[in-house]
Amino acid sequence: MGMNKLQANLCLLCVTLIWSTEVVIFACIPNDVLPFATTCITSLTGAVLLFLGFFKRIIAAFRQDGLKLVRDCLLLSVLDCSYNVMYIYGLDDFDVSTGAFTLSMTAVVLPVILLMKKENVDIKTWISAGLVLAGIMFALARNLFDISIPGLLLIFGGCIIRAVFIVRLNHYARKYDAIAIAFSYTLPVAFISFIIWVIIQPATFAAIPWNKEVIASLFIYSYFVVALAKSLNIFAQRRATPASATIIYSCEIIFSLIWGLTLPESLIDPAAPDAFTFIGVAFIVLGNMAQLADFSKLKRRKEAQNGTS
């Protein structure tokens, strides 16, 4: 599955759109179902679906890359679980809208991570990160004196780990088969989540209120968010850069805001965005436009004009 950079970015935007529906799906799952339970069940189901659909491809990848694939995907699993745990506990101190904005800090952190790795960072990436940071600051300004410092530090730490995760995933996507990566790091996530789940809630599966709505929600999440979105994301990472991927991920707040404004109260808690929210979203949109803009043609045109003058 080959794609150019534009197609990769559009694919990442579709992935972000799918991820934004999490809030709708989770609304159909009772609040007493622990996040670790949901992660365990959906990750395990998603891994099984990937294996059933692509077992020949996955086995071939294991035969070719063996322990290297297992080792690298295990690192992805640990990073994935680490930042998600920090997000889960950090977001307890924020409302939905403010929390979603703080998660965009990954786009601000990532250029610094790339610079520390002694990689070149385009000027437009710094501009994009600055615009996203401005959007976050506007979103936080409305509750500036009520911000939970421990919660903010947890989310900030999670964003740093997620930035490292994105850089490593981008590297592995160019090195291994995309489906094999999706399967190989999703399965350990299920087991790690199960260990945390059994510590917090020893009853585990017996504590789930199994009914048609819960089963349907978990399966939809497993298929679309885990199996489909993760696979598409890894395919797109082959051509996208870590910076462009991270900036596009920040669009999730835009889609989440749309769902909050348009969907009925039976599906999602109604959103009441204020001026700070809209200004924050506007800056994030500008950040995406700055990152995705192609200035190479303008540069070549300017060089051509200088050459003829």
Short mmCIF file of all heavy atoms in Angstrom, two decimals, residues 48-105:
data_model
loop_
_atom_site.label_atom_id
_atom_site.label_comp_id
_atom_site.label_asym_id
_atom_site.label_seq_id
_atom_site.Cartn_x
_atom_site.Cartn_y
_atom_site.Cartn_z
N VAL A 48 -6.84 -9.98 17.99
CA VAL A 48 -7.41 -11.22 17.44
C VAL A 48 -7.98 -10.96 16.05
O VAL A 48 -7.78 -11.77 15.12
CB VAL A 48 -8.49 -11.79 18.38
CG1 VAL A 48 -9.26 -12.92 17.70
CG2 VAL A 48 -7.87 -12.28 19.68
N LEU A 49 -8.68 -9.84 15.87
CA LEU A 49 -9.24 -9.51 14.56
C LEU A 49 -8.14 -9.34 13.51
O LEU A 49 -8.27 -9.80 12.37
CB LEU A 49 -10.07 -8.23 14.65
CG LEU A 49 -11.41 -8.33 15.41
CD1 LEU A 49 -12.02 -6.94 15.59
CD2 LEU A 49 -12.37 -9.24 14.68
N LEU A 50 -7.05 -8.67 13.89
CA LEU A 50 -5.93 -8.49 12.97
C LEU A 50 -5.30 -9.83 12.60
O LEU A 50 -4.96 -10.07 11.44
CB LEU A 50 -4.87 -7.56 13.59
CG LEU A 50 -5.20 -6.07 13.63
CD1 LEU A 50 -4.19 -5.32 14.48
CD2 LEU A 50 -5.23 -5.49 12.22
N PHE A 51 -5.15 -10.70 13.59
CA PHE A 51 -4.53 -12.00 13.32
C PHE A 51 -5.42 -12.86 12.43
O PHE A 51 -4.93 -13.51 11.50
CB PHE A 51 -4.23 -12.74 14.63
CG PHE A 51 -3.44 -14.00 14.43
CD1 PHE A 51 -2.07 -13.94 14.23
CD2 PHE A 51 -4.07 -15.24 14.43
CE1 PHE A 51 -1.33 -15.10 14.02
CE2 PHE A 51 -3.35 -16.41 14.22
CZ PHE A 51 -1.96 -16.33 14.03
N LEU A 52 -6.72 -12.86 12.69
CA LEU A 52 -7.64 -13.66 11.87
C LEU A 52 -7.67 -13.17 10.42
O LEU A 52 -7.78 -13.97 9.49
CB LEU A 52 -9.05 -13.61 12.47
CG LEU A 52 -9.25 -14.33 13.81
CD1 LEU A 52 -10.66 -14.12 14.33
CD2 LEU A 52 -8.94 -15.82 13.67
N GLY A 53 -7.57 -11.85 10.25
CA GLY A 53 -7.62 -11.30 8.90
C GLY A 53 -6.31 -11.37 8.14
O GLY A 53 -6.31 -11.46 6.90
N PHE A 54 -5.19 -11.35 8.87
CA PHE A 54 -3.89 -11.25 8.19
C PHE A 54 -2.85 -12.21 8.79
O PHE A 54 -1.67 -11.88 8.86
CB PHE A 54 -3.35 -9.81 8.32
CG PHE A 54 -4.27 -8.76 7.78
CD1 PHE A 54 -5.13 -8.07 8.64
CD2 PHE A 54 -4.30 -8.45 6.43
CE1 PHE A 54 -5.98 -7.09 8.15
CE2 PHE A 54 -5.15 -7.48 5.93
CZ PHE A 54 -6.00 -6.79 6.79
N PHE A 55 -3.29 -13.40 9.21
CA PHE A 55 -2.36 -14.30 9.92
C PHE A 55 -1.17 -14.71 9.05
O PHE A 55 -0.05 -14.83 9.54
CB PHE A 55 -3.10 -15.53 10.46
CG PHE A 55 -3.66 -16.45 9.41
CD1 PHE A 55 -2.93 -17.54 8.97
CD2 PHE A 55 -4.92 -16.23 8.89
CE1 PHE A 55 -3.45 -18.40 8.01
CE2 PHE A 55 -5.44 -17.08 7.93
CZ PHE A 55 -4.71 -18.17 7.48
N LYS A 56 -1.38 -14.92 7.74
CA LYS A 56 -0.26 -15.29 6.87
C LYS A 56 0.76 -14.16 6.79
O LYS A 56 1.98 -14.41 6.84
CB LYS A 56 -0.77 -15.63 5.46
CG LYS A 56 -1.59 -16.91 5.39
CD LYS A 56 -2.00 -17.22 3.96
CE LYS A 56 -2.79 -18.51 3.87
NZ LYS A 56 -3.20 -18.82 2.47
N ARG A 57 0.28 -12.95 6.70
CA ARG A 57 1.17 -11.78 6.61
C ARG A 57 1.93 -11.57 7.92
O ARG A 57 3.12 -11.26 7.92
CB ARG A 57 0.33 -10.56 6.27
CG ARG A 57 1.08 -9.27 6.09
CD ARG A 57 0.16 -8.23 5.52
NE ARG A 57 0.83 -6.95 5.35
CZ ARG A 57 0.31 -5.95 4.64
NH1 ARG A 57 -0.86 -6.10 4.04
NH2 ARG A 57 0.97 -4.81 4.52
N ILE A 58 1.24 -11.75 9.04
CA ILE A 58 1.87 -11.57 10.35
C ILE A 58 2.92 -12.64 10.60
O ILE A 58 4.04 -12.35 11.07
CB ILE A 58 0.79 -11.58 11.46
CG1 ILE A 58 -0.11 -10.35 11.33
CG2 ILE A 58 1.43 -11.63 12.85
CD1 ILE A 58 -1.34 -10.38 12.23
N ILE A 59 2.60 -13.89 10.28
CA ILE A 59 3.56 -14.99 10.45
C ILE A 59 4.79 -14.78 9.58
O ILE A 59 5.93 -15.00 10.01
CB ILE A 59 2.89 -16.34 10.14
CG1 ILE A 59 1.84 -16.66 11.21
CG2 ILE A 59 3.93 -17.46 10.07
CD1 ILE A 59 0.99 -17.88 10.89
N ALA A 60 4.57 -14.31 8.34
CA ALA A 60 5.70 -14.05 7.44
C ALA A 60 6.60 -12.95 8.00
O ALA A 60 7.83 -13.03 7.91
CB ALA A 60 5.18 -13.64 6.06
N ALA A 61 5.99 -11.93 8.59
CA ALA A 61 6.78 -10.84 9.19
C ALA A 61 7.60 -11.34 10.37
O ALA A 61 8.76 -10.95 10.55
CB ALA A 61 5.85 -9.71 9.63
N PHE A 62 7.01 -12.22 11.19
CA PHE A 62 7.74 -12.78 12.32
C PHE A 62 8.90 -13.66 11.85
O PHE A 62 9.98 -13.66 12.46
CB PHE A 62 6.80 -13.58 13.22
CG PHE A 62 6.08 -12.76 14.25
CD1 PHE A 62 4.74 -12.44 14.10
CD2 PHE A 62 6.76 -12.27 15.36
CE1 PHE A 62 4.09 -11.67 15.04
CE2 PHE A 62 6.11 -11.50 16.31
CZ PHE A 62 4.76 -11.20 16.16
N ARG A 63 8.68 -14.40 10.78
CA ARG A 63 9.75 -15.24 10.25
C ARG A 63 10.91 -14.38 9.72
O ARG A 63 12.07 -14.76 9.82
CB ARG A 63 9.21 -16.12 9.14
CG ARG A 63 8.35 -17.28 9.65
CD ARG A 63 7.76 -18.08 8.51
NE ARG A 63 6.98 -19.21 9.00
CZ ARG A 63 6.21 -19.98 8.22
NH1 ARG A 63 6.10 -19.70 6.91
NH2 ARG A 63 5.56 -20.99 8.74
N GLN A 64 10.55 -13.23 9.16
CA GLN A 64 11.57 -12.37 8.57
C GLN A 64 12.32 -11.55 9.63
O GLN A 64 13.56 -11.45 9.59
CB GLN A 64 10.93 -11.41 7.55
CG GLN A 64 11.93 -10.43 6.93
CD GLN A 64 11.27 -9.53 5.91
OE1 GLN A 64 10.30 -9.91 5.25
NE2 GLN A 64 11.79 -8.33 5.76
N ASP A 65 11.59 -10.99 10.58
CA ASP A 65 12.21 -10.06 11.53
C ASP A 65 12.36 -10.61 12.94
O ASP A 65 13.13 -10.06 13.73
CB ASP A 65 11.40 -8.75 11.57
CG ASP A 65 11.37 -8.06 10.22
OD1 ASP A 65 12.44 -7.78 9.68
OD2 ASP A 65 10.26 -7.81 9.71
N GLY A 66 11.61 -11.65 13.27
CA GLY A 66 11.79 -12.37 14.52
C GLY A 66 11.82 -11.51 15.77
O GLY A 66 10.94 -10.68 16.02
N LEU A 67 12.88 -11.70 16.56
CA LEU A 67 12.98 -11.06 17.86
C LEU A 67 13.11 -9.54 17.78
O LEU A 67 12.70 -8.83 18.70
CB LEU A 67 14.19 -11.63 18.63
CG LEU A 67 14.05 -13.08 19.10
CD1 LEU A 67 15.34 -13.55 19.76
CD2 LEU A 67 12.86 -13.23 20.05
N LYS A 68 13.67 -9.03 16.68
CA LYS A 68 13.78 -7.57 16.53
C LYS A 68 12.40 -6.94 16.50
O LYS A 68 12.18 -5.89 17.14
CB LYS A 68 14.55 -7.23 15.24
CG LYS A 68 16.02 -7.61 15.26
CD LYS A 68 16.73 -7.06 14.04
CE LYS A 68 16.17 -7.70 12.75
NZ LYS A 68 16.89 -7.21 11.55
N LEU A 69 11.47 -7.55 15.77
CA LEU A 69 10.10 -7.03 15.70
C LEU A 69 9.44 -7.11 17.06
O LEU A 69 8.79 -6.15 17.50
CB LEU A 69 9.31 -7.84 14.67
CG LEU A 69 7.81 -7.54 14.56
CD1 LEU A 69 7.57 -6.09 14.16
CD2 LEU A 69 7.14 -8.49 13.57
N VAL A 70 9.60 -8.22 17.76
CA VAL A 70 9.00 -8.41 19.08
C VAL A 70 9.56 -7.38 20.06
O VAL A 70 8.81 -6.73 20.81
CB VAL A 70 9.26 -9.83 19.62
CG1 VAL A 70 8.77 -9.96 21.06
CG2 VAL A 70 8.58 -10.85 18.72
N ARG A 71 10.89 -7.21 20.07
CA ARG A 71 11.53 -6.26 20.99
C ARG A 71 11.06 -4.84 20.76
O ARG A 71 10.70 -4.13 21.70
CB ARG A 71 13.04 -6.34 20.80
CG ARG A 71 13.86 -5.38 21.65
CD ARG A 71 15.25 -5.23 21.07
NE ARG A 71 15.21 -4.64 19.74
CZ ARG A 71 16.20 -4.76 18.84
NH1 ARG A 71 17.29 -5.43 19.14
NH2 ARG A 71 16.07 -4.19 17.65
N ASP A 72 11.03 -4.41 19.49
CA ASP A 72 10.65 -3.03 19.19
C ASP A 72 9.18 -2.78 19.47
O ASP A 72 8.80 -1.71 19.96
CB ASP A 72 10.98 -2.71 17.72
CG ASP A 72 12.48 -2.65 17.46
OD1 ASP A 72 13.24 -2.48 18.43
OD2 ASP A 72 12.89 -2.79 16.29
N CYS A 73 8.33 -3.76 19.18
CA CYS A 73 6.89 -3.59 19.43
C CYS A 73 6.58 -3.64 20.93
O CYS A 73 5.63 -3.01 21.38
CB CYS A 73 6.09 -4.64 18.68
SG CYS A 73 6.03 -4.35 16.89
N LEU A 74 7.38 -4.39 21.68
CA LEU A 74 7.19 -4.40 23.13
C LEU A 74 7.51 -3.03 23.72
O LEU A 74 6.82 -2.56 24.62
CB LEU A 74 8.09 -5.46 23.77
CG LEU A 74 7.90 -5.69 25.27
CD1 LEU A 74 6.47 -6.09 25.59
CD2 LEU A 74 8.87 -6.75 25.78
N LEU A 75 8.53 -2.36 23.17
CA LEU A 75 8.84 -0.99 23.59
C LEU A 75 7.66 -0.07 23.29
O LEU A 75 7.28 0.75 24.14
CB LEU A 75 10.09 -0.49 22.87
CG LEU A 75 10.43 0.99 23.08
CD1 LEU A 75 10.70 1.29 24.55
CD2 LEU A 75 11.62 1.41 22.21
N LEU A 76 7.06 -0.21 22.10
CA LEU A 76 5.89 0.60 21.76
C LEU A 76 4.75 0.35 22.74
O LEU A 76 4.05 1.28 23.15
CB LEU A 76 5.42 0.28 20.33
CG LEU A 76 6.32 0.72 19.18
CD1 LEU A 76 5.72 0.27 17.84
CD2 LEU A 76 6.52 2.24 19.17
N SER A 77 4.57 -0.91 23.13
CA SER A 77 3.48 -1.27 24.06
C SER A 77 3.68 -0.60 25.41
O SER A 77 2.74 -0.06 26.00
CB SER A 77 3.42 -2.79 24.24
OG SER A 77 3.20 -3.44 23.01
N VAL A 78 4.92 -0.64 25.91
CA VAL A 78 5.22 -0.03 27.22
C VAL A 78 5.01 1.47 27.16
O VAL A 78 4.42 2.07 28.07
CB VAL A 78 6.66 -0.37 27.64
CG1 VAL A 78 7.04 0.41 28.90
CG2 VAL A 78 6.81 -1.87 27.88
N LEU A 79 5.47 2.11 26.07
CA LEU A 79 5.28 3.55 25.91
C LEU A 79 3.80 3.89 25.82
O LEU A 79 3.33 4.84 26.44
CB LEU A 79 6.02 4.05 24.66
CG LEU A 79 7.56 4.01 24.71
CD1 LEU A 79 8.13 4.35 23.33
CD2 LEU A 79 8.09 4.99 25.75
N ASP A 80 3.05 3.11 25.05
CA ASP A 80 1.61 3.32 24.86
C ASP A 80 0.89 3.25 26.19
O ASP A 80 0.09 4.14 26.54
CB ASP A 80 1.07 2.28 23.88
CG ASP A 80 -0.40 2.47 23.56
OD1 ASP A 80 -1.24 2.22 24.45
OD2 ASP A 80 -0.73 2.87 22.43
N CYS A 81 1.15 2.19 26.96
CA CYS A 81 0.48 2.03 28.25
C CYS A 81 0.89 3.13 29.23
O CYS A 81 0.05 3.62 30.00
CB CYS A 81 0.82 0.66 28.85
SG CYS A 81 0.03 -0.71 27.99
N SER A 82 2.16 3.52 29.19
CA SER A 82 2.66 4.53 30.13
C SER A 82 1.95 5.86 29.94
O SER A 82 1.45 6.46 30.90
CB SER A 82 4.17 4.71 29.95
OG SER A 82 4.86 3.51 30.25
N TYR A 83 1.90 6.36 28.69
CA TYR A 83 1.28 7.67 28.51
C TYR A 83 -0.23 7.62 28.68
O TYR A 83 -0.84 8.59 29.14
CB TYR A 83 1.70 8.32 27.19
CG TYR A 83 1.08 7.82 25.91
CD1 TYR A 83 -0.23 8.10 25.57
CD2 TYR A 83 1.85 7.13 24.97
CE1 TYR A 83 -0.79 7.67 24.37
CE2 TYR A 83 1.32 6.71 23.76
CZ TYR A 83 0.00 6.97 23.47
OH TYR A 83 -0.54 6.56 22.27
N ASN A 84 -0.84 6.48 28.38
CA ASN A 84 -2.29 6.38 28.57
C ASN A 84 -2.66 6.37 30.05
O ASN A 84 -3.67 6.95 30.45
CB ASN A 84 -2.83 5.14 27.87
CG ASN A 84 -3.17 5.41 26.41
OD1 ASN A 84 -3.99 6.27 26.10
ND2 ASN A 84 -2.51 4.70 25.51
N VAL A 85 -1.86 5.69 30.88
CA VAL A 85 -2.10 5.69 32.32
C VAL A 85 -1.97 7.10 32.88
O VAL A 85 -2.79 7.56 33.69
CB VAL A 85 -1.13 4.73 33.04
CG1 VAL A 85 -1.18 4.95 34.56
CG2 VAL A 85 -1.48 3.28 32.72
N MET A 86 -0.95 7.84 32.44
CA MET A 86 -0.75 9.21 32.90
C MET A 86 -1.90 10.10 32.44
O MET A 86 -2.35 10.98 33.18
CB MET A 86 0.59 9.74 32.39
CG MET A 86 1.77 8.97 32.95
SD MET A 86 3.38 9.51 32.34
CE MET A 86 3.67 10.92 33.41
N TYR A 87 -2.40 9.87 31.22
CA TYR A 87 -3.55 10.63 30.73
C TYR A 87 -4.79 10.34 31.57
O TYR A 87 -5.54 11.26 31.94
CB TYR A 87 -3.84 10.27 29.27
CG TYR A 87 -2.90 10.89 28.26
CD1 TYR A 87 -2.97 10.51 26.92
CD2 TYR A 87 -1.96 11.84 28.62
CE1 TYR A 87 -2.13 11.07 25.98
CE2 TYR A 87 -1.11 12.40 27.69
CZ TYR A 87 -1.20 12.01 26.36
OH TYR A 87 -0.35 12.56 25.42
N ILE A 88 -5.03 9.06 31.86
CA ILE A 88 -6.23 8.67 32.59
C ILE A 88 -6.32 9.38 33.93
O ILE A 88 -7.36 9.94 34.30
CB ILE A 88 -6.26 7.13 32.79
CG1 ILE A 88 -6.56 6.44 31.46
CG2 ILE A 88 -7.30 6.74 33.83
CD1 ILE A 88 -6.37 4.94 31.49
N TYR A 89 -5.21 9.38 34.67
CA TYR A 89 -5.22 9.99 36.00
C TYR A 89 -5.08 11.50 35.93
O TYR A 89 -5.64 12.22 36.77
CB TYR A 89 -4.13 9.37 36.87
CG TYR A 89 -4.46 7.96 37.28
CD1 TYR A 89 -3.85 6.87 36.67
CD2 TYR A 89 -5.41 7.71 38.25
CE1 TYR A 89 -4.17 5.57 37.03
CE2 TYR A 89 -5.74 6.42 38.63
CZ TYR A 89 -5.11 5.35 38.02
OH TYR A 89 -5.46 4.07 38.37
N GLY A 90 -4.36 12.01 34.94
CA GLY A 90 -4.22 13.46 34.80
C GLY A 90 -5.51 14.14 34.39
O GLY A 90 -5.85 15.23 34.88
N LEU A 91 -6.29 13.48 33.53
CA LEU A 91 -7.54 14.08 33.04
C LEU A 91 -8.63 14.13 34.09
O LEU A 91 -9.63 14.83 33.90
CB LEU A 91 -8.03 13.31 31.80
CG LEU A 91 -7.21 13.49 30.52
CD1 LEU A 91 -7.67 12.55 29.43
CD2 LEU A 91 -7.29 14.94 30.04
N ASP A 92 -8.47 13.40 35.19
CA ASP A 92 -9.46 13.46 36.28
C ASP A 92 -9.57 14.86 36.85
O ASP A 92 -10.59 15.21 37.45
CB ASP A 92 -9.07 12.48 37.39
CG ASP A 92 -9.40 11.04 37.03
OD1 ASP A 92 -10.21 10.85 36.10
OD2 ASP A 92 -8.84 10.14 37.66
N ASP A 93 -8.52 15.68 36.69
CA ASP A 93 -8.49 17.02 37.27
C ASP A 93 -8.95 18.11 36.29
O ASP A 93 -8.83 19.29 36.59
CB ASP A 93 -7.08 17.34 37.77
CG ASP A 93 -6.64 16.42 38.90
OD1 ASP A 93 -7.51 16.03 39.69
OD2 ASP A 93 -5.44 16.09 38.97
N PHE A 94 -9.44 17.70 35.10
CA PHE A 94 -9.84 18.68 34.09
C PHE A 94 -11.22 18.34 33.55
O PHE A 94 -11.63 17.17 33.57
CB PHE A 94 -8.84 18.70 32.93
CG PHE A 94 -7.46 19.17 33.30
CD1 PHE A 94 -6.49 18.28 33.70
CD2 PHE A 94 -7.14 20.52 33.26
CE1 PHE A 94 -5.23 18.70 34.06
CE2 PHE A 94 -5.87 20.96 33.60
CZ PHE A 94 -4.91 20.05 34.00
N ASP A 95 -11.92 19.38 33.05
CA ASP A 95 -13.15 19.10 32.33
C ASP A 95 -12.78 18.56 30.96
O ASP A 95 -11.62 18.61 30.53
CB ASP A 95 -14.04 20.34 32.22
CG ASP A 95 -13.35 21.50 31.50
OD1 ASP A 95 -13.04 21.35 30.31
OD2 ASP A 95 -13.12 22.55 32.13
N VAL A 96 -13.77 18.04 30.23
CA VAL A 96 -13.51 17.36 28.96
C VAL A 96 -12.82 18.27 27.96
O VAL A 96 -11.82 17.89 27.32
CB VAL A 96 -14.84 16.82 28.36
CG1 VAL A 96 -14.60 16.23 26.98
CG2 VAL A 96 -15.44 15.77 29.28
N SER A 97 -13.32 19.49 27.81
CA SER A 97 -12.77 20.40 26.80
C SER A 97 -11.34 20.80 27.12
O SER A 97 -10.44 20.71 26.27
CB SER A 97 -13.65 21.66 26.71
OG SER A 97 -13.09 22.59 25.81
N THR A 98 -11.09 21.24 28.36
CA THR A 98 -9.75 21.66 28.76
C THR A 98 -8.77 20.50 28.68
O THR A 98 -7.63 20.64 28.22
CB THR A 98 -9.75 22.24 30.18
OG1 THR A 98 -10.71 23.29 30.25
CG2 THR A 98 -8.38 22.77 30.55
N GLY A 99 -9.22 19.32 29.12
CA GLY A 99 -8.36 18.14 29.06
C GLY A 99 -7.96 17.79 27.64
O GLY A 99 -6.80 17.44 27.38
N ALA A 100 -8.90 17.90 26.70
CA ALA A 100 -8.59 17.60 25.31
C ALA A 100 -7.55 18.56 24.75
O ALA A 100 -6.68 18.17 23.96
CB ALA A 100 -9.87 17.67 24.47
N PHE A 101 -7.62 19.82 25.15
CA PHE A 101 -6.61 20.79 24.70
C PHE A 101 -5.23 20.46 25.26
O PHE A 101 -4.23 20.55 24.56
CB PHE A 101 -7.01 22.21 25.11
CG PHE A 101 -7.91 22.90 24.13
CD1 PHE A 101 -9.26 23.04 24.39
CD2 PHE A 101 -7.40 23.41 22.95
CE1 PHE A 101 -10.11 23.67 23.48
CE2 PHE A 101 -8.23 24.05 22.04
CZ PHE A 101 -9.59 24.19 22.30
N THR A 102 -5.17 20.07 26.54
CA THR A 102 -3.87 19.79 27.15
C THR A 102 -3.18 18.61 26.48
O THR A 102 -1.95 18.56 26.42
CB THR A 102 -4.00 19.52 28.66
OG1 THR A 102 -4.90 18.42 28.86
CG2 THR A 102 -4.54 20.74 29.38
N LEU A 103 -3.96 17.67 25.95
CA LEU A 103 -3.37 16.52 25.26
C LEU A 103 -2.63 16.94 23.99
O LEU A 103 -1.77 16.21 23.50
CB LEU A 103 -4.45 15.49 24.91
CG LEU A 103 -5.18 14.84 26.09
CD1 LEU A 103 -6.15 13.79 25.60
CD2 LEU A 103 -4.20 14.23 27.08
N SER A 104 -2.97 18.11 23.47
CA SER A 104 -2.30 18.61 22.27
C SER A 104 -0.88 19.07 22.54
O SER A 104 -0.16 19.44 21.60
CB SER A 104 -3.11 19.77 21.66
OG SER A 104 -4.41 19.35 21.29
N MET A 105 -0.47 19.06 23.81
CA MET A 105 0.89 19.48 24.14
C MET A 105 1.94 18.59 23.49
O MET A 105 3.10 18.97 23.39
CB MET A 105 1.10 19.51 25.66
CG MET A 105 0.49 20.72 26.34
SD MET A 105 1.04 20.93 28.06
CE MET A 105 0.24 19.53 28.85
#
